[in-house]
Amino acid sequence: MLASLPASEKRALREVSHHRSLAHFWHPMKSEIRDGMRIGWDTPIEIDDGVVLRADVFLPLAEGKYPVILSYGPYAKGLAFQEGYKSAWMRMTTDYPEIAQGSSNKYQNWELVDPEKWVPDGYAIVRIDSRGAGASPGYLEVWSPREAKDLHDCIEWAGTQPWSNGKVGINGISYYAMNQWHVAPHKPPHLAALCIWEGSSDYYRELARHGGILCDFLKTWSERQVTNVQYGVGERGPKNVVTGTPVAGDKTLLEAELAKNRADVGEDALRHRLCDDYYRVRLPAFEEIDVPLLSAANWGGQGLHPRGNFEGYLAAGSRQKWLEVHGDTHFSHFYSNYGDTLQRRFFGHFLKGEDTGWDKQPKVALNIRRPGEKFTLRAENEWPLARAQWTRFYLWPADRSLRNEPAKEGATLAYTTTGDGLTFLTPPMTQEMEITGPVAAKLFVSSDTRDADLFLVLRVFDPAGKEVVFVGTNDPRTPVGLGWLRASHRKLDLRKSLPYRPWHSHDEEWPLTPGEPVELDIEIWPTSIVVPEGYRVGLTVRGKDYEYDGTDAALAHAHYPMRGVGPFTHTDPRDRPPEIFGGTNTLYFAANQAPYLLLPIIP
């Protein structure tokens, strides 16, 4: 077996054998030429603590030194996109047939580039199973400081291989984007560029607890996409369609053994209600990031991704950084001609030194959204837009309208938190109006218990009164914008808060006194919509998750119901006991209590 390996892989094995016997960590590794590529399956990468991770390496046929596109994550590098994510693959290739063209698609992997399309362009593609996942042994703890250190070591390994030109770029969607925020502050010397495609950056505010409210996503996601391919699932799991080997390791362990080898992220988030040290070690040191980066967000990513791409772009210390925002599903434009071209121009410039025209790329590129899934690409110089007119739309209780001046009468409006809440509407637009940027609301609220969860929905309705929804990242019927806040988490960090983006510290709880109103500043995640003449803008205040019409979109092979927010629900009774969050809330209106919606109007 050793005699058949390329010289570079022999060297890697010899180096590791200095530290321990080969039999202790090594299982058969196969190298071959296939589909116009040199492929090294399960290539070993030894990390500083002795754990050996496994990577699939795809190289051009010609010997040489190539720039590296690297990824590190828990989804099993050998699991075919079409097998693990049938619904997404079908939707994506139906809407964008070019994605499946020009490739056998045998190497398609969830949220990563297709080697068959990138290797011929002179790139080395390195896919690494993260610690404890896929073919890599170890303790599985997603987005942990240990993973950030692992990724650092993997970058340095890739940057010093004989086939590498010493420049490593990281690319990928979601998980493969989020850990880029974590590793970049470690400053691995061979890291040359980051393409952070729809990747959140705040573990507490964007992933575990929206506004302090536990999100169901972490628990259901880890069970659906991570623990099912944990190292040790082995023969019980899927197999690589190319090699025929199990994607989840060369050992098959008992479930009790698997459970000991992983963190329970869903239970951890439940236990850690406040933004304590558990979360703080998972928050990036943005100011330490100094490599060129492209941050690509999705207007329809409410629940996980858009906020982090905006916040990370703004906070990153890099002198060379760009923001791009698009629509559609979570996966389509990463693979479409639009997204593929954007990535190649970015990496061609920074990893190859080619003249791709990237030096003319606008700092901010926004696909401005209109009803009917219509988008217009527009170049901008900054985010938020300097010319935005921050406009207050006050909530009026008598007719539940949104107007430009405060209501004159005092009043209260109550709503049951188990119902549809209260909706306030602007008059029909007399001319087209663009809303692009962060959004916020100020409310005065009491509860009949000691706490309240607020779910805010920014909506648009057509002249017939029908809500206009959009294809979101994880649901085909999403509203214009969403915001959340647990009233006991209303404490603001005044150093970070902005009128259009309140920042809650989440470091202590301030319980309510039943029947006594409190002032709440609520962030609604950034959005873009051009509201046509005759349409209305609405704000709905609810006590539970938004639903479009109560039905499930019921997409083929979908892993979860799609009622308007996809998997980003908030229903765990241990975090939201009905005796506290299932009662009645009241909105207050008075001269000194004038609730409003703050919108960025673009003239």
Side-chain angles (χ1 to χ4, degrees):
M1 177 66 70
L2 283 172
S4 66
L5 294 177
S8 62
E9 293 176 1
K10 289 181 185 176
R11 282 195 295 273
L13 293 176
R14 290 193 189 104
E15 289 171 3
V16 173
S17 68
H18 288 321
H19 303 284
R20 59 182 52 79
S21 75
L22 192 61
H24 179 71
F25 74 91
W26 185 70
H27 63 84
M29 177 179 64
K30 181 180 180 182
S31 297
E32 61 181 337
I33 293 177
R34 184 192 283 264
D35 296 310
M37 300 178 289
R38 290 181 288 150
I39 307 174
W41 303 107
D42 285 338
T43 304
I45 304 175
E46 187 179 19
I47 305 303
D48 67 326
D49 65 350
V51 168
V52 175
L53 306 180
R54 294 286 167 174
D56 290 343
V57 180
F58 302 85
L59 303 173
L61 292 179
E63 295 285 342
K65 293 183 177 294
Y66 300 99
V68 181
I69 303 292
L70 181 144
S71 61
Y72 170 104
Y75 295 147
K77 58 184 173 52
L79 179 62
F81 193 143
Q82 303 91 317
E83 180 179 351
Y85 303 88
K86 290 181 182 179
S87 177
W89 178 259
M90 291 169 57
R91 291 174 64 194
M92 181 175 72
T93 54
T94 298
D95 293 343
Y96 298 92
E98 73 262 21
I99 293 171
Q101 296 169 358
S103 171
S104 72
N105 296 302
K106 289 183 294 189
Y107 310 93
Q108 292 279 11
N109 200 217
W110 173 245
E111 299 185 332
L112 296 175
V113 298
D114 181 358
E116 282 189 275
K117 292 187 176 182
W118 282 73
V119 168
D121 199 22
Y123 288 97
I125 305 300
V126 177
R127 293 174 171 172
I128 305 160
D129 278 337
S130 59
R131 180 181 296 242
S136 293
Y139 187 76
L140 175 57
E141 186 174 12
V142 293
W143 294 298
S144 63
R146 179 66 257 181
E147 279 204 345
K149 181 61 172 66
D150 287 352
L151 183 48
H152 171 282
D153 290 358
C154 290
I155 292 166
E156 290 309 288
W157 175 87
T160 55
Q161 295 305 297
W163 37 260
S164 170
N165 74 348
K167 293 186 176 182
V168 178
I170 314 180
N171 197 12
I173 314 173
S174 192
Y175 198 102
Y176 303 106
M178 294 157 73
N179 58 18
Q180 296 182 48
W181 299 119
H182 296 165
V183 72
H186 289 265
K187 301 182 185 297
H190 291 89
L191 180 61
L194 305 171
C195 181
I196 305 171
W197 200 278
E198 298 188 31
S200 76
S201 62
D202 191 316
Y203 195 95
Y204 185 92
R205 294 168 181 81
E206 299 160 13
L207 183 61
R209 288 184 166 270
H210 297 137
I213 307 168
L214 180 70
C215 182
D216 301 329
F217 175 73
L218 258 180
K219 176 179 173 60
T220 59
W221 161 81
S222 61
E223 294 171 349
R224 182 176 64 246
Q225 293 182 238
V226 179
T227 60
N228 65 329
V229 288
Q230 180 183 355
Y231 177 83
V233 170
E235 292 291 343
R236 294 198 304 273
K239 293 187 176 181
N240 186 317
V241 296
V242 180
T243 66
T245 57
V247 304
D250 55 351
K251 294 181 179 179
T252 303
L253 304 177
L254 297 175
E255 178 53 40
E257 295 177 277
L258 293 173
K260 289 180 181 178
N261 287 339
R262 65 176 182 252
D264 190 334
V265 292
E267 292 302 305
D268 287 343
L270 173 67
R271 285 192 295 269
H272 294 271
R273 296 169 60 87
L274 298 175
C275 191
D276 56 15
D277 288 341
Y278 172 79
Y279 296 105
R280 279 191 282 269
V281 298
R282 290 165 169 79
L283 299 178
F286 293 112
E287 67 279 3
E288 296 297 322
I289 300 176
D290 59 6
V291 295
L293 68 87
L294 168 62
S295 179
N298 189 319
W299 302 121
Q302 300 106 330
L304 186 58
H305 290 307
R307 183 186 189 275
N309 280 104
F310 292 107
E311 292 292 332
Y313 166 77
L314 290 171
S318 303
R319 290 185 298 105
Q320 300 182 86
K321 56 183 180 179
W322 290 263
L323 175 67
E324 184 275 344
V325 195
H326 52 270
D328 214 287
T329 69
H330 186 38
F331 31 83
S332 296
H333 277 313
F334 180 79
Y335 294 95
S336 73
N337 286 346
Y338 167 79
D340 182 80
T341 299
L342 188 71
Q343 296 162 53
R344 289 177 190 270
R345 289 176 54 233
F346 175 71
F347 283 122
H349 180 83
F350 287 107
L351 300 187
K352 291 182 172 182
E354 295 177 344
D355 181 8
T356 65
W358 191 260
D359 57 331
K360 300 180 180 63
Q361 175 72 13
K363 287 297 182 182
V364 175
L366 306 179
N367 286 278
I368 303 301
R369 182 167 61 175
R370 287 176 165 79
E373 300 298 330
K374 297 175 182 177
F375 295 87
T376 303
L377 182 61
R378 191 171 74 201
E380 298 287 353
N381 296 317
E382 73 288 312
W383 179 268
L385 304 186
R387 67 183 184 281
Q389 297 176 352
W390 300 98
T391 306
R392 293 183 180 185
F393 289 80
Y394 290 92
L395 283 62
W396 279 51
D399 58 359
R400 298 186 190 178
S401 62
L402 291 172
R403 305 190 191 184
N404 292 127
E405 65 278 346
K408 295 177 175 58
E409 73 279 11
T412 59
L413 288 177
Y415 64 94
T416 59
T417 59
T418 56
D420 292 331
L422 300 171
T423 297
F424 300 83
L425 293 169
T426 65
M429 294 292 124
T430 58
Q431 60 183 11
E432 185 176 85
M433 181 178 77
E434 179 184 337
I435 303 166
T436 296
V439 178
K442 183 183 287 290
L443 301 176
F444 300 87
V445 180
S446 75
S447 168
D448 58 0
T449 72
R450 59 183 172 84
D451 213 341
D453 284 346
L454 281 294
F455 295 76
L456 269 55
V457 191
L458 183 64
R459 310 167 77 179
V460 169
F461 297 86
D462 70 14
K466 182 177 176 59
E467 184 176 6
V468 178
V469 290
F470 298 88
V471 173
T473 58
N474 298 82
D475 195 295
R477 303 177 301 178
T478 61
V480 176
L482 291 171
W484 311 261
L485 183 64
R486 177 158 289 174
S488 60
H489 286 235
R490 63 191 179 277
K491 177 184 174 184
L492 292 171
D493 184 336
L494 298 180
R495 298 167 302 169
K496 292 186 176 182
S497 283
L498 298 165
Y500 53 79
R501 200 267 287 118
W503 189 282
H504 298 91
S505 57
H506 299 293
D507 58 1
E508 61 179 316
E509 292 180 294
W510 293 354
L512 303 183
T513 299
E516 292 188 9
V518 294
E519 182 177 345
L520 303 179
D521 293 282
I522 304 175
E523 175 185 11
I524 297 175
W525 287 8
T527 191
S528 176
I529 177 65
V530 177
V531 185
E533 181 180 348
Y535 284 55
R536 295 172 179 243
V537 175
L539 176 69
T540 298
V541 182
R542 296 167 60 92
K544 63 177 184 177
D545 288 305
Y546 165 86
E547 291 187 0
Y548 171 58
D549 61 3
T551 64
D552 179 4
L555 300 182
H557 308 292
H559 292 294
Y560 46 81
M562 297 186 183
R563 297 188 175 92
V565 295
F568 305 111
T569 54
H570 308 76
T571 62
D572 194 322
R574 296 173 298 172
D575 182 69
R576 305 189 67 231
E579 63 270 20
I580 296 176
F581 299 101
T584 299
N585 294 344
T586 301
L587 300 183
Y588 288 76
F589 305 81
N592 62 342
Q593 295 173 326
Y596 62 81
L597 171 69
L598 182 65
L599 295 179
I601 306 302
I602 309 303

